[in-house]
Amino acid sequence: MLIPIESVLDKATAADWLARLQAADWVDGRNTAGSLAVSVKDNLQLDDKHPLSQQLRQEVLARLGQQPEFVSAALPHKVYPPRFNCYQGGGSYGLHVDGSIMHLPDNTPMRTDLSATLFLSEPDAYEGGELVIETEYGAQSIKLGAGDMVLYPATSLHQVMPVTKGRRIASFFWIESMVRDAQAREMLFSLDQTVQALTHERGAKDEQVSNLNGLYHNLLRRWAL
Ligand code: NI
C-alpha cells in the first residue's frame, strides 16, 4: 500500500529548505549505493556530514513525530536519519529494491520496512522524475507537491525516472516499524483511522468506540516488535 501524507512541511518551509539545498554542494550519489544499486543509480546527494544535511534531517524527524498520520501508518520503531538527493540533467535511478538492513550513525543495524520520499521541489519545477513503484496492482507513478511525502513498503521494486528538465530535490529515508508484517500494519492503520473517525463522531466515552480502541491496542500488543 502506498500512503501519501500531505503537508509534512508547509509550503513556505519547503521553499526555504529548497533554496538552501539548491545553493549547497552536492556529491555523486553512487558513493552510498550498494554494489548492485551502483549500476543503476545516477543522481546527486548531500553528504551526510554536510551541516545543512545534519540540520534539516533533525527538522524532518521532529516534524514526523508531530504527524499523527505518519505515526499511525508507520508505527515507527527506528527511523533512518533522512538524506537529501537531487536529480537533474537526465539523472535517474533505475529499478531496484532498497537495502534490507541499514546502519544508524551509532552503527546499530535496522531493518527497512518502509521507504519514504519527502518531495521538496514542486512538480512543475522539473520534467520526468516520477517515483514509479511496482505494486500488486501494477506500477504507480508518484509526483507530489513540495512538502508532501509518500510511504511505501521497502520490499517494493521502484525507480526514479530521468529528470529531463529542471531539478528534483527530495529527502528520503527508511523506517523500521514496530509491526514487521506489512499486512498487519496496514490493517492496524485502517482500524486506527476508523477509531479516530468514530471518536470524532460519537465521542471518546462511547462504549463501542472504547471497545474498538481496546481491540486496536490488543492487536498492536500482539503484533508489535
Ligand atoms: Ni530506492
Side-chain angles (χ1 to χ4, degrees):
M1 185 164 65
L2 312 186
I3 303 171
I5 299 178
E6 287 181 1
S7 305
V8 172
L9 303 178
D10 59 69
K11 290 292 182 193
T13 304
D16 173 55
W17 290 20
L18 182 65
R20 291 155 73 193
L21 286 163
Q22 275 173 331
D25 287 326
W26 295 81
V27 296
D28 192 332
R30 277 175 278 229
N31 296 346
T32 56
S35 53
L36 284 175
V38 74
S39 60
V40 292
K41 190 175 186 184
D42 176 16
N43 68 0
L44 298 170
Q45 261 176 226
L46 199 58
D47 190 289
D48 288 347
K49 294 192 178 70
H50 194 293
L52 185 59
S53 176
Q54 297 194 348
Q55 185 200 342
L56 295 186
R57 85 169 65 131
Q58 292 306 328
E59 298 255 4
V60 176
L61 292 173
R63 280 154 207 270
L64 289 175
Q66 297 161 6
Q67 272 281 340
E69 205 183 350
F70 168 76
V71 175
S72 175
L75 294 166
H77 178 45
K78 297 175 185 169
V79 181
Y80 191 88
R83 285 178 168 167
F84 298 86
N85 62 13
C86 172
Y87 294 83
Q88 59 186 15
S92 64
Y93 198 158
L95 206 60
H96 68 281
V97 168
D98 294 340
S100 49
I101 305 289
M102 301 281 175
H103 287 83
L104 294 168
D106 67 359
N107 220 28
T108 313
M110 65 171 271
R111 187 187 61 241
T112 56
D113 294 318
L114 290 154
S115 299
T117 297
L118 169 61
F119 290 79
L120 295 171
S121 300
E122 288 291 3
D124 61 5
Y126 56 97
E127 280 175 19
E130 297 85 359
L131 172 61
V132 179
I133 303 168
E134 305 289 329
T135 76
E136 55 185 315
Y137 308 111
Q140 303 231 21
S141 182
I142 313 278
K143 194 168 180 175
L144 300 180
D148 297 343
M149 182 172 92
V150 64
L151 274 178
Y152 58 100
T155 49
S156 318
L157 269 168
H158 59 279
Q159 59 185 317
V160 177
M161 304 310 283
V163 172
T164 53
K165 204 174 170 186
R167 277 178 125 182
R168 175 198 191 271
I169 291 179
S171 176
F172 64 101
F173 53 96
W174 299 274
I175 299 113
E176 180 179 312
S177 178
M178 291 187 284
V179 175
R180 178 177 181 168
D181 182 72
Q183 206 179 359
R185 197 168 54 239
E186 286 168 15
M187 286 193 288
L188 284 170
F189 179 49
S190 176
L191 181 55
D192 187 43
Q193 299 293 101
T194 306
V195 171
Q196 298 305 325
L198 283 177
T199 304
H200 187 71
E201 222 177 277
R202 299 184 173 197
K205 288 180 183 162
D206 181 89
E207 196 182 331
Q208 303 308 325
V209 170
S210 299
N211 284 343
L212 215 48
N213 194 37
L215 267 177
Y216 171 82
H217 281 284
N218 290 336
L219 284 171
L220 179 55
R221 204 185 322 278
R222 175 172 285 241
W223 289 335
L225 303 172

